Amino acid sequence: MNGRAGQSGGAGEEARYRAIVDTAVDAIVVIDERGRIEAFNPAAERLFGYAASDMIGSNVRALMPEPHHAAHDGYLDTYRRTGERRIIGIGREVFGRRQDGSTFPLELSIAEWRSGDRRFFTGVMRDVTERKRTEELQRLLVNELNHRVKNTLATVQSVAGQTLRNAADLGDARESLTTRLLALARTHDILTRESWDGADLHDIMAGLVDSYGDASRFELDGPPVRLSPKTALSLSLALHELTTNAAKYGALSQSTGQVRVGWSREGEGDEERLRLRWQEAGGPPVSPPERQGFGSRLITRGLALELDGEAALDYPPEGVVCTIVARIRRRPAPQPTLARGAA
């Protein structure tokens, strides 16, 4: 091969390498051992916002936020003197700095190579802002799921314990526990459809009526009310207990019996409250029970505490009346998301 052919072949190979670098998706920056930029491909221009013509010959620390901006020359000097590699590696996550001053996470791989007696470093960089955002969202979702599972298990444990303590026999305990868990499951389904953002009281009541199977026995009246997940679960369990007792002993135990559930909103802002009234009619004469069962304790004690409000059961002869007052908490303000370019 003559000299001209060799030069032509070298130029062709260099052109191929140049084409690969220029069309690469990842940013590629080449520096010398003093930190001066020797090459800056188009992907690096898009990533950092600088033109290659402005960066060639500049110090690479311009692409770094503090503390690395000030310390990078020292890293290179230490490496030249001692061989200690502070920056060379594969898959290293660092922060980059754009021309507008914004910082962002990036994945950096650095390789060392030589040309004659000169030493160079090639850095391959990829913006991982979206990946970090996804990882953070996944972490938040896992933590939220863990929180909800723990709360649900605690609720199930409490319901199971109370059911077993108050059951007449094992068969009664099985039936009571099954129906109570189904009531919780119905509300979980509603909350899942709403991405656990909350639930509308109308949907809770509709699920309750559907589970009973005869909508003609219920009269529902009230405005739209958005409930927090915690309030929705507690209230649905209480309404289930009222329905069960009405079917066994109260208005729903007779064909002429009716249940009217009405609710309203009172107050404004953070002091706004839900007032709900459950009233039975057309059933057998009512008298106060000799002892409180699980349902009564759940409503008069646990529910009031869970809802940050009040709950009372009354037993006039014409039918059971339950009054529930609960704080309606405003929906929390949306949490800020990670913005592109934020540190």
Side-chain angles (χ1 to χ4, degrees):
M1 180 181 293
N2 60 32
R4 182 176 297 276
Q7 291 174 0
S8 176
E13 185 172 343
E14 180 180 352
R16 285 195 294 272
Y17 280 121
R18 171 60 60 185
I20 293 172
V21 170
D22 285 350
T23 58
V25 175
D26 292 332
I28 299 175
V29 178
V30 179
I31 65 172
D32 65 13
E33 62 182 356
R34 300 288 177 180
R36 289 188 296 268
I37 295 176
E38 298 281 339
F40 201 79
N41 77 338
E45 292 182 311
R46 294 190 295 271
L47 182 62
F48 290 99
Y50 290 101
S53 58
D54 295 331
M55 295 308 295
I56 302 300
S58 300
N59 194 299
V60 73
R61 65 171 178 261
L63 307 179
M64 304 174 185
E66 295 294 358
H68 301 296
H69 179 87
H72 187 258
D73 286 351
Y75 294 161
L76 286 175
D77 181 63
T78 298
Y79 176 60
R80 288 194 302 270
R81 289 186 292 101
T82 67
E84 180 186 352
R85 296 186 175 187
R86 294 286 303 275
I87 59 174
I88 298 176
I90 298 175
R92 177 185 175 92
E93 286 192 2
V94 297
F95 278 91
R97 182 180 182 275
R98 295 189 175 91
Q99 185 181 31
D100 63 9
S102 62
T103 60
F104 63 100
L106 59 82
E107 190 173 75
L108 169 66
S109 298
I110 296 180
E112 178 183 345
W113 54 281
R114 289 179 178 271
S115 178
D117 59 352
R118 297 186 65 192
R119 182 161 45 187
F120 299 92
F121 303 93
T122 298
V124 180
M125 289 155 281
R126 176 176 298 176
D127 186 351
V128 293
T129 300
E130 292 299 328
R131 190 185 78 190
K132 300 298 287 185
R133 182 184 290 112
T134 300
E135 290 174 353
E136 176 65 12
L137 178 59
Q138 185 178 44
R139 184 187 66 80
L140 292 174
L141 289 175
V142 169
N143 288 343
E144 180 65 18
L145 177 62
N146 184 50
H147 175 71
R148 290 174 186 169
V149 169
K150 286 182 178 179
N151 285 346
T152 300
L153 291 176
T155 300
V156 171
Q157 182 182 29
S158 176
V159 169
Q162 293 285 352
T163 300
L164 293 173
R165 277 194 291 273
N166 288 274
D169 52 46
L170 186 59
D172 180 50
R174 182 185 299 112
E175 180 182 358
S176 297
L177 183 57
T178 298
T179 58
R180 285 164 181 161
L181 293 181
L182 286 174
L184 286 174
R186 285 195 303 271
T187 307
H188 267 257
D189 287 342
I190 295 172
L191 291 169
T192 299
R193 290 200 304 268
E194 298 288 334
S195 300
W196 280 80
D197 180 63
D200 193 276
L201 181 53
H202 278 290
D203 292 336
I204 299 296
M205 295 304 306
L208 179 74
V209 172
D210 288 345
S211 70
Y212 178 74
D214 186 357
S216 66
R217 308 294 295 277
F218 291 84
E219 179 184 348
L220 308 178
D221 181 33
V225 177
R226 189 75 173 173
L227 304 175
S228 70
K230 179 180 178 182
T231 300
L233 287 168
S234 299
L235 189 58
S236 65
L237 192 55
L239 291 169
H240 165 76
E241 295 300 321
L242 289 169
T243 304
T244 300
N245 288 337
K248 288 183 177 180
Y249 316 111
L252 299 180
S253 67
Q254 296 188 356
S255 60
T256 57
Q258 293 283 319
V259 174
R260 183 183 188 279
V261 185
W263 61 90
S264 60
R265 306 173 72 131
E266 302 176 349
E268 296 180 355
D270 292 338
E271 297 303 317
E272 186 177 16
R273 292 178 177 271
L274 164 70
R275 180 176 292 274
L276 182 145
R277 179 180 173 86
W278 167 289
Q279 185 171 4
E280 300 178 24
V286 173
S287 59
E290 296 181 359
R291 69 180 185 89
Q292 279 194 326
F294 169 69
S296 298
R297 287 198 299 273
L298 171 72
I299 295 169
T300 58
R301 300 179 189 176
L303 186 62
L305 183 62
E306 287 289 322
L307 301 183
D308 188 20
E310 305 170 5
L313 279 169
D314 295 309
Y315 302 93
E318 58 271 19
V320 171
V321 175
C322 179
T323 304
I324 298 171
V325 179
R327 183 186 296 275
I328 301 177
R329 291 179 174 84
R330 287 179 171 177
R331 294 175 64 181
Q335 295 298 312
T337 57
L338 290 174
R340 178 176 291 277

